[in-house]
Amino acid sequence: MTNYLKQLNQSQMQAVSNLQGPMMVIAGPGSGKTRVLTYRIAHLIKSGTDAFNILALTFTNKAAKEMRNRIETIVESHEAQNLWMGTFHSVFSKMLRIEAEKINYTSNFTIYDTIDSKDLIKSIIKEMGLDKDIYKTRLIQNRISSLKNNFIRPEDYENSPELLQTDKIARRTAFGNIYQKYMQRCFKSCAMDFDDLLLNTYHLLNEFPDVLYKYQNKFQYILVDEYQDTNHVQYLIIKKLAAMNENICVVGDDAQSIYSFRGANIQNILNFKVDYPDFKTFKLEQNYRSTSNIVSLANSLITHNKKQIAKKVWTKNQEGEKTIVCKTLNDNEEGRIVANTIDELHFKENANWKDFAVLYRTNAQSRALEESLRKKNITYKIYGGLSFYARKEVKDVLAYFRMCINPKDEEALKRIINYPTRGLGVTTLQKLIIAANKQDVSIWEVISNLEKYELKINKGTAEKLSQFATLINSYIVQKDNLDAYTLAEQIAKTSGVFYGLYNDKTVEGVSRFENLQELLNGIKDFSEKEGEENNTLEYFMQDIALLTDADNEKEDDHNKVILMTIHAAKGLEFPYIFVVGLEENLFPSMMAMDCREGLEEERRLFYVAITRAEKRLFLSYALSRFKWGQYTDCEPSRFLKELNKTFTKQSEIALTQKKKNHNPYQIFAKTKTQKKKSNFIPKNLKRVSAINADVTPTKTEHLQVGLKVKHSRFGSGKILKIEGEYANKKAIIFFEAVGQKMLLLKFAKLEIEK
DNA sequence: AACAACGGGCTTTTT
DNA sequence: GCCCGTTGTT
């Protein structure tokens, strides 16, 4: 047995070493799921499998990257670079670029992001002369996406009386028409949206037996992470690919399924049993992440779900502190308390900023938190929200790049045809679109051959259009000869975009210009990093198309408090977790509450949130929250009642909002014992917190410079200096083990050594 | 074509 | 409250 296998427990070991045949690993939170996946892949490679023959599908690109690095370390070779590993979207877009011709695409196809696809749907609705209040873009977009994820194409839709009836009732009879037109327009633009990447992959494997055969042979071993969050099309793809060898290993946790809105389907777990009757199941139930209090708390919550696979998550870890549940007046106070507690823990427990994460249900909640953190000078980073590449100015420049890689890209063209202004306004664009639709060609085709398409435009406009075409063509000619940065810089400057933004001296304008600079810097890094073969703009665009903010981490972001939605926190872990906004209609969300499935998913989401915590967990809710421009009263979340009270501690609220010099530390908890013990602290300096509630403050009177002391964590040390008074009394101590530290004495629990 | 003024809707969650 | 899109004005 090789050395690296010794680092696994028995169930992990079994899951890693069972290489052949279909298998499912049910892995509780913190049970070493990623470990199993990485070691399993490493073990496959070590056992002689060619990395080229392994397909590993992960939930995020970041996870794939980290796993690849870890595998490389274990197998001690660069073999891991040959793995096909990444998200469904990135792996299959790679496959689609190779096989594009088969499905009548070209390999330079554009990937439309949500904004592109929204814009396209909007213009289709407008062109069709439909009422935009009945045909709401967002709704249509979601419906199209959901149909695609369930492998219902426009023709399937038209053949489904059920679906037709739904839209008939909603008076959206033109939906099928929109759906069809949307698909056609994407195709004509040589573009795929996120869902198309999956849909077309399945289409490719389904319609072309030779392609299927090729990849079935190639992927002798298939691994799927977060299997509980795969959707129907993803399921179909995996099933196809695995059909020949049946060496498929899926890993997941039904209790952590939180993406049903994206088409994720627990049914896939049940289907697995039908498709591979002789499959093996492995359960990873020992939690290595959290204290036993946190594990027990999470277990007490999830038992309220009816639908789940039986398993018992347990831990050998120490008991730890109880979870604190905190009632607050409003969202601002909630933010303030979170910020204060983080600040205090940062100091008291010598924690790094990056050890903290604040999790919330909706992105909108980040605002109050941000304000509080900023006031306390706590360095933080928000994940989610508007991604860098989604910013208008960035998208505008990228549209030029997209045009020179794929000039058929309609959404890119619409963005830049009159940016910067060149006298080609809406009227001209409308004429172009009508002509293009009529002849079933791309807009670019029309612009490139104006005389052929008999447009009713005047000579001046025709001249401007041909100038525009010449400009784009001049970029296209250069695209294969120049590296990404040189070309990008040239486009930015010669198109006039660069100077347009440069001359805008408003606050927003300056910020936009900075973003453009940042984009160019990013491209520069890319050009320098990649080899000469791969440093073209085309490769850069492929690289960024499927990136999320999480993949885009900057160096200086590494030690910051993290703010994100619970969805974004999936798969992550932090020593200190704050879950905020535990209120009815917010968490559980209003949208999800009316059906059992929805509510159970919200509960799983809360389960995910709780189980992110390693050491300490804080839950809070507000009595009032600023919503839609006014304060709304809130009720505590039903989930709080479901938690077993043995593992929580209610923090008493002192509604001191109106008091002058009110110190929020007092709010977090003021237990009765605390009041007694803290008598010697003058009132105005009383700084007490819940996290500290049952700690007796050190008698600081006897401490003086030169004394030898002992600290519970840092060991023996010598006091170098004492400063501050009363509760703020601090000592600089030199510890033999860890060096010099400044400690606030009331927290430090120092013992005097003789 | 560009800008100001106004009104409506919005909050789930994301590749 | 804020963003977005629409309308009206020059």
Side-chain angles (χ1 to χ4, degrees), chain A residues 114 162 253 277-278 370 427 499 507-508 537 604 725:
Chain A
T114 328
E162 222 176 299
D253 178 7
D278 56 343
E370 252 185 290
T427 333
Y499 296 105
V507 183
E508 303 86 42
L537 197 57
R604 290 194 294 270
E725 297 234 322

PDB file of all heavy atoms in Angstrom, chain A residues 114 162 253 277-278 370 427 499 507-508 537 604 725:
ATOM      1  N   THR A 114     -25.243  35.948 -19.062  1.00  0.00           N
ATOM      2  CA  THR A 114     -26.641  36.229 -18.745  1.00  0.00           C
ATOM      3  C   THR A 114     -27.089  37.575 -19.310  1.00  0.00           C
ATOM      4  O   THR A 114     -28.238  37.721 -19.723  1.00  0.00           O
ATOM      5  CB  THR A 114     -26.830  36.251 -17.215  1.00  0.00           C
ATOM      6  OG1 THR A 114     -25.915  35.316 -16.653  1.00  0.00           O
ATOM      7  CG2 THR A 114     -28.214  35.858 -16.843  1.00  0.00           C
ATOM      8  N   GLU A 162     -49.078  20.178 -22.091  1.00  0.00           N
ATOM      9  CA  GLU A 162     -48.985  20.681 -20.728  1.00  0.00           C
ATOM     10  C   GLU A 162     -48.309  22.051 -20.669  1.00  0.00           C
ATOM     11  O   GLU A 162     -48.820  23.002 -20.097  1.00  0.00           O
ATOM     12  CB  GLU A 162     -48.178  19.688 -19.910  1.00  0.00           C
ATOM     13  CG  GLU A 162     -48.714  19.406 -18.528  1.00  0.00           C
ATOM     14  CD  GLU A 162     -47.871  18.329 -17.872  1.00  0.00           C
ATOM     15  OE1 GLU A 162     -47.819  17.204 -18.434  1.00  0.00           O
ATOM     16  OE2 GLU A 162     -47.245  18.626 -16.857  1.00  0.00           O
ATOM     17  N   ASP A 253     -23.826  15.089  -1.438  1.00  0.00           N
ATOM     18  CA  ASP A 253     -24.551  15.014  -0.182  1.00  0.00           C
ATOM     19  C   ASP A 253     -25.941  15.565  -0.435  1.00  0.00           C
ATOM     20  O   ASP A 253     -26.102  16.753  -0.709  1.00  0.00           O
ATOM     21  CB  ASP A 253     -23.817  15.852   0.875  1.00  0.00           C
ATOM     22  CG  ASP A 253     -24.557  15.846   2.210  1.00  0.00           C
ATOM     23  OD1 ASP A 253     -25.543  15.090   2.345  1.00  0.00           O
ATOM     24  OD2 ASP A 253     -24.130  16.588   3.113  1.00  0.00           O
ATOM     25  N   PRO A 277     -27.528  -0.745 -11.379  1.00  0.00           N
ATOM     26  CA  PRO A 277     -28.084  -1.500 -10.235  1.00  0.00           C
ATOM     27  C   PRO A 277     -27.005  -2.101  -9.339  1.00  0.00           C
ATOM     28  O   PRO A 277     -27.224  -2.273  -8.140  1.00  0.00           O
ATOM     29  CB  PRO A 277     -28.906  -2.598 -10.915  1.00  0.00           C
ATOM     30  CG  PRO A 277     -29.001  -2.236 -12.345  1.00  0.00           C
ATOM     31  CD  PRO A 277     -27.943  -1.267 -12.673  1.00  0.00           C
ATOM     32  N   ASP A 278     -25.847  -2.395  -9.905  1.00  0.00           N
ATOM     33  CA  ASP A 278     -24.813  -3.037  -9.091  1.00  0.00           C
ATOM     34  C   ASP A 278     -23.826  -2.042  -8.507  1.00  0.00           C
ATOM     35  O   ASP A 278     -22.690  -2.369  -8.217  1.00  0.00           O
ATOM     36  CB  ASP A 278     -24.066  -4.087  -9.925  1.00  0.00           C
ATOM     37  CG  ASP A 278     -23.485  -3.479 -11.191  1.00  0.00           C
ATOM     38  OD1 ASP A 278     -23.942  -2.366 -11.565  1.00  0.00           O
ATOM     39  OD2 ASP A 278     -22.590  -4.085 -11.807  1.00  0.00           O
ATOM     40  N   GLU A 370     -21.337  45.871   5.147  1.00  0.00           N
ATOM     41  CA  GLU A 370     -20.199  46.595   4.608  1.00  0.00           C
ATOM     42  C   GLU A 370     -19.952  47.888   5.366  1.00  0.00           C
ATOM     43  O   GLU A 370     -18.837  48.203   5.755  1.00  0.00           O
ATOM     44  CB  GLU A 370     -20.515  46.985   3.161  1.00  0.00           C
ATOM     45  CG  GLU A 370     -19.764  46.227   2.140  1.00  0.00           C
ATOM     46  CD  GLU A 370     -20.086  46.802   0.788  1.00  0.00           C
ATOM     47  OE1 GLU A 370     -21.222  46.629   0.309  1.00  0.00           O
ATOM     48  OE2 GLU A 370     -19.199  47.446   0.211  1.00  0.00           O
ATOM     49  N   THR A 427     -32.251  53.609 -35.572  1.00  0.00           N
ATOM     50  CA  THR A 427     -32.964  53.417 -36.840  1.00  0.00           C
ATOM     51  C   THR A 427     -32.177  52.524 -37.779  1.00  0.00           C
ATOM     52  O   THR A 427     -32.704  51.565 -38.345  1.00  0.00           O
ATOM     53  CB  THR A 427     -33.201  54.788 -37.530  1.00  0.00           C
ATOM     54  OG1 THR A 427     -33.261  55.788 -36.519  1.00  0.00           O
ATOM     55  CG2 THR A 427     -34.461  54.772 -38.333  1.00  0.00           C
ATOM     56  N   TYR A 499      -9.806  56.832 -25.318  1.00  0.00           N
ATOM     57  CA  TYR A 499      -9.786  58.277 -25.102  1.00  0.00           C
ATOM     58  C   TYR A 499     -11.146  58.788 -24.663  1.00  0.00           C
ATOM     59  O   TYR A 499     -11.231  59.763 -23.914  1.00  0.00           O
ATOM     60  CB  TYR A 499      -9.266  58.987 -26.347  1.00  0.00           C
ATOM     61  CG  TYR A 499      -7.833  58.609 -26.608  1.00  0.00           C
ATOM     62  CD1 TYR A 499      -7.491  57.728 -27.630  1.00  0.00           C
ATOM     63  CD2 TYR A 499      -6.818  59.073 -25.768  1.00  0.00           C
ATOM     64  CE1 TYR A 499      -6.170  57.348 -27.835  1.00  0.00           C
ATOM     65  CE2 TYR A 499      -5.501  58.692 -25.953  1.00  0.00           C
ATOM     66  CZ  TYR A 499      -5.177  57.827 -26.984  1.00  0.00           C
ATOM     67  OH  TYR A 499      -3.883  57.443 -27.156  1.00  0.00           O
ATOM     68  N   VAL A 507     -16.598  61.298 -11.519  1.00  0.00           N
ATOM     69  CA  VAL A 507     -16.156  60.236 -10.609  1.00  0.00           C
ATOM     70  C   VAL A 507     -16.344  58.862 -11.257  1.00  0.00           C
ATOM     71  O   VAL A 507     -15.462  58.010 -11.242  1.00  0.00           O
ATOM     72  CB  VAL A 507     -16.933  60.298  -9.282  1.00  0.00           C
ATOM     73  CG1 VAL A 507     -16.424  59.239  -8.319  1.00  0.00           C
ATOM     74  CG2 VAL A 507     -16.815  61.677  -8.661  1.00  0.00           C
ATOM     75  N   GLU A 508     -17.538  58.663 -11.850  1.00  0.00           N
ATOM     76  CA  GLU A 508     -17.826  57.366 -12.460  1.00  0.00           C
ATOM     77  C   GLU A 508     -16.918  57.145 -13.663  1.00  0.00           C
ATOM     78  O   GLU A 508     -16.447  56.040 -13.921  1.00  0.00           O
ATOM     79  CB  GLU A 508     -19.282  57.276 -12.926  1.00  0.00           C
ATOM     80  CG  GLU A 508     -20.320  57.527 -11.840  1.00  0.00           C
ATOM     81  CD  GLU A 508     -20.640  59.007 -11.673  1.00  0.00           C
ATOM     82  OE1 GLU A 508     -20.766  59.700 -12.700  1.00  0.00           O
ATOM     83  OE2 GLU A 508     -20.736  59.464 -10.521  1.00  0.00           O
ATOM     84  N   LEU A 537      -5.607  36.808 -28.274  1.00  0.00           N
ATOM     85  CA  LEU A 537      -6.811  37.364 -27.658  1.00  0.00           C
ATOM     86  C   LEU A 537      -7.927  36.320 -27.619  1.00  0.00           C
ATOM     87  O   LEU A 537      -8.715  36.266 -26.681  1.00  0.00           O
ATOM     88  CB  LEU A 537      -7.262  38.588 -28.456  1.00  0.00           C
ATOM     89  CG  LEU A 537      -8.234  39.534 -27.770  1.00  0.00           C
ATOM     90  CD1 LEU A 537      -7.667  40.041 -26.468  1.00  0.00           C
ATOM     91  CD2 LEU A 537      -8.568  40.699 -28.682  1.00  0.00           C
ATOM     92  N   ARG A 604     -31.943  23.080   3.865  1.00  0.00           N
ATOM     93  CA  ARG A 604     -30.636  22.539   3.474  1.00  0.00           C
ATOM     94  C   ARG A 604     -29.623  23.665   3.327  1.00  0.00           C
ATOM     95  O   ARG A 604     -28.455  23.530   3.668  1.00  0.00           O
ATOM     96  CB  ARG A 604     -30.755  21.756   2.156  1.00  0.00           C
ATOM     97  CG  ARG A 604     -31.512  20.457   2.277  1.00  0.00           C
ATOM     98  CD  ARG A 604     -31.303  19.600   1.053  1.00  0.00           C
ATOM     99  NE  ARG A 604     -31.862  20.174  -0.163  1.00  0.00           N
ATOM    100  CZ  ARG A 604     -33.097  19.964  -0.600  1.00  0.00           C
ATOM    101  NH1 ARG A 604     -33.905  19.157   0.053  1.00  0.00           N
ATOM    102  NH2 ARG A 604     -33.514  20.529  -1.716  1.00  0.00           N
ATOM    103  N   GLU A 725      -5.963  51.449  30.836  1.00  0.00           N
ATOM    104  CA  GLU A 725      -6.527  51.403  32.171  1.00  0.00           C
ATOM    105  C   GLU A 725      -7.724  50.487  32.211  1.00  0.00           C
ATOM    106  O   GLU A 725      -8.406  50.276  31.211  1.00  0.00           O
ATOM    107  CB  GLU A 725      -6.974  52.810  32.571  1.00  0.00           C
ATOM    108  CG  GLU A 725      -5.819  53.784  32.644  1.00  0.00           C
ATOM    109  CD  GLU A 725      -5.768  54.482  33.981  1.00  0.00           C
ATOM    110  OE1 GLU A 725      -6.836  54.807  34.528  1.00  0.00           O
ATOM    111  OE2 GLU A 725      -4.668  54.685  34.465  1.00  0.00           O
TER     112      GLU A 725
END
